[in-house]
């Protein structure tokens, strides 16, 4: 089968010169007696909030596989990402840079000068493959940069299924099937293959629409309401200013947890496949999410406009690498999405990206340092230059709206977010925080080049709830 991906339309200056310092990096690992570099598997779960995982304290048994991975590996307890939707957040996580601006109508792509993870790993000798279940990280938007293989699974479906997002390719079992097929293909291709691989998998189960899965236990209980988990039903209800009852909220939470549990089980299938192939010991497995989801925590549902509460930015970061990391290590303290890729590069022995803003936390992951350095987390929707923004420290959360609609300050405590009066005790605290956000806003990367939207892509995005009322 042809698993190649067409190259991007343009090549940045950085991508043209990357190979100059990388050609011999992996040439002689066995001759030197050093351990070979690890394989890297990134399991990106769209719309997965950290506090719905057992290892992050959730009482329901939604994630036994991830919980075991955390028990045997490293868990970062307080990772926050820099945006509340997929495109800017994934671009940031996979570049170590703050999110570029993306148009909310999906008419732009990643800036050409963003060097992404797959490009860096590829230039230093890793074989790279990516599989995505969401059109939001499609090739057309620049997310295939650096991949020798990149497949958008919705393209495998017939037209009607693509239009209404009803095919199996949007479920993580289809994603895992494709990943295992690629591993089989790679294994059989040559007996002399020695390159490590970088495998990126973007699953989307916890994102609306919510669906039940055969063979899975369910958290859902008896419910007679109108909410069936479909995106159009939810958006219609919100557009009609429907008052959601406790039963409605409970039902949607149950459906969300069912999808989280299904996704977790499919990760287990992938880990079993790696074990069967003898790859577990020297594979760095990374579990991440691009953003979370509100289930009426802040009087709404979803991850839509003008909101950046903890439920949307706090996501899991779990890593396991038996040959390189000690197990059972939990890292406390605020860390940032831009720190993820620098950490992975450091752990695998690669030099840092020249333009990355984040810093490596490899010494913390190894247990050589107990606490990450004190961090300041900036986040926004990354949809326009004057957008709703948030600044988070260990103790404070500041929300800034250029239009003055929702500026607020909270003190972060174990009991939750305690509001501070911006006209009284919070006034002096807010001034330097607003200055920091304004400086960050002025330094933001501009949007990437424009892309045209075809009808099928537009409908797929609409079914995900990204376009139209309530998107």
């Amino acid at each position: 089968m042809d698993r190649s991906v067409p190259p991007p339309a343009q090549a940045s200056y950085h991508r043209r010169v990357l190979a100059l310092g990388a050609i011999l990096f992996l040439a002689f690992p066995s001759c030197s007696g050093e351990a070979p570099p690890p394989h890297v598997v990134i399991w990106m779960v769209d719309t997965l909030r950290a506090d719905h995982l057992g290892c992050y304290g959730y009482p329901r048994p939604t994630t036994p596989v991830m919980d075991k991975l955390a028990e045997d590996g490293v868990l970062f307890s307080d990772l926050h990402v820099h945006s509340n939707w997929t495109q800017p957040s994934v671009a940031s996580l996979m570049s170590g840079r703050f999110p570029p601006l993306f148009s909310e109508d999906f008419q732009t792509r990643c800036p050409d000068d963003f060097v992404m993870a797959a490009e860096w790993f590829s230039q230093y000798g890793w074989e790279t493959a990516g599989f995505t279940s969401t059109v939001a990280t499609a090739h057309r938007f620049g997310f295939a940069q650096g991949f020798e293989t990149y497949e958008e699974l919705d393209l495998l479906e017939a037209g009607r299924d693509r239009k209404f997002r009803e095919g199996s390719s949007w479920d993580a079992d289809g994603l895992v099937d494709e990943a295992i097929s690629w591993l089989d293909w790679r294994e059989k291709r040559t007996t002399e293959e020695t390159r490590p691989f970088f495998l990126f998998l973007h699953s989307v189960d916890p994102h609306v629409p919510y669906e039940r899965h055969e063979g899975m236990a369910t958290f859902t209980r008896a419910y007679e309401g109108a909410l069936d988990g479909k995106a159009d039903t939810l958006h219609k209800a919100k557009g009609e200013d429907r008052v959601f009852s406790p039963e409605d909220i409970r039902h949607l939470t149950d459906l969300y947890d069912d999808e989280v549990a299904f996704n977790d089980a499919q990760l287990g299938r992938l880990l079993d496949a790696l074990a069967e192939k003898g790859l577990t010991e020297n594979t760095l497995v990374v579990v991440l999410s691009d953003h979370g989801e509100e289930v009426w925590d802040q009087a709404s549902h979803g991850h839509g406009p003008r909101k950046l509460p903890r439920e949307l930015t706090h996501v899991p970061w779990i890593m396991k690498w038996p040959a390189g990391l000690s197990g059972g290590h939990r890292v406390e303290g605020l860390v940032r999405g831009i720190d993820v890729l620098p950490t992975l590069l450091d752990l695998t022995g690669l030099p840092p990206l020249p333009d990355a803003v984040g810093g490596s936390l490899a010494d913390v992951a190894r247990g050589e340092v107990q606490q990450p350095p004190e961090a300041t987390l900036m986040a926004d929707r990354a949809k326009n230059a004057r957008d709703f923004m948030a600044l988070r420290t260990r103790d404070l959360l500041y929300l800034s709206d250029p239009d003055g609609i929702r500026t607020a300050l909270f003190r972060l405590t174990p009991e939750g977010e305690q509001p501070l009066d911006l006209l009284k005790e919070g006034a002096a605290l807010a001034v330097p925080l607003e200055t920091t956000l304004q400086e960050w806003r002025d330094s933001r990367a501009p949007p990437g080049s424009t892309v045209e939207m075809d009808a099928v892509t537009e409908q797929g995005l609409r079914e995900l709830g990204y376009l139209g009322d309530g998107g």
Side-chain angles (χ1 to χ4, degrees), residues 256-271:
Y256 176 83
D257 285 347
D258 277 356
E259 291 280 30
V260 171
F262 174 75
N263 183 276
D264 182 77
Q266 298 310 311
L267 172 60
R269 285 184 57 222
L270 177 66
L271 297 179

Side-chain angles (χ1 to χ4, degrees), residues 339-416:
D339 298 328
V340 171
L341 181 57
T343 300
L344 302 185
L345 297 179
D346 194 352
L347 287 173
T348 54
L350 293 185
L353 279 164
D355 293 329
V357 181
S360 171
L361 300 172
D363 54 356
V364 183
R366 296 190 192 101
E368 299 165 358
V369 176
Q370 292 305 307
Q371 293 286 333
E374 191 163 336
T376 298
L377 185 284
M378 275 85 77
D380 74 348
R381 300 189 308 155
K383 290 185 176 179
N384 57 69
R386 286 179 53 80
D387 215 335
F388 186 72
M389 305 173 74
L391 185 151
R392 179 181 291 271
T393 69
R394 180 185 60 189
D395 303 313
L396 297 170
L397 171 62
Y398 179 64
L399 304 177
S400 175
D401 192 322
D403 299 325
I405 298 172
R406 202 175 296 164
T407 301
L409 179 65
F410 302 87
R411 189 176 301 281
L412 305 178
T413 71
E415 291 74 35

Side-chain angles (χ1 to χ4, degrees), residues 55-72:
C55 51
Y56 283 86
Y58 197 50
R60 278 180 162 176
T62 51
T63 54
V65 174
M66 294 181 193
D67 298 347
K68 179 61 175 173
L69 203 69
E71 180 183 336
D72 296 337

Side-chain angles (χ1 to χ4, degrees), residues 296-313:
W296 271 271
D297 309 87
Q298 307 289 334
S300 184
H301 175 272
H303 50 277
R306 310 194 81 78
K307 285 199 172 187
L308 288 165
R310 181 179 186 86
E311 292 79 16
L312 298 190
T313 63

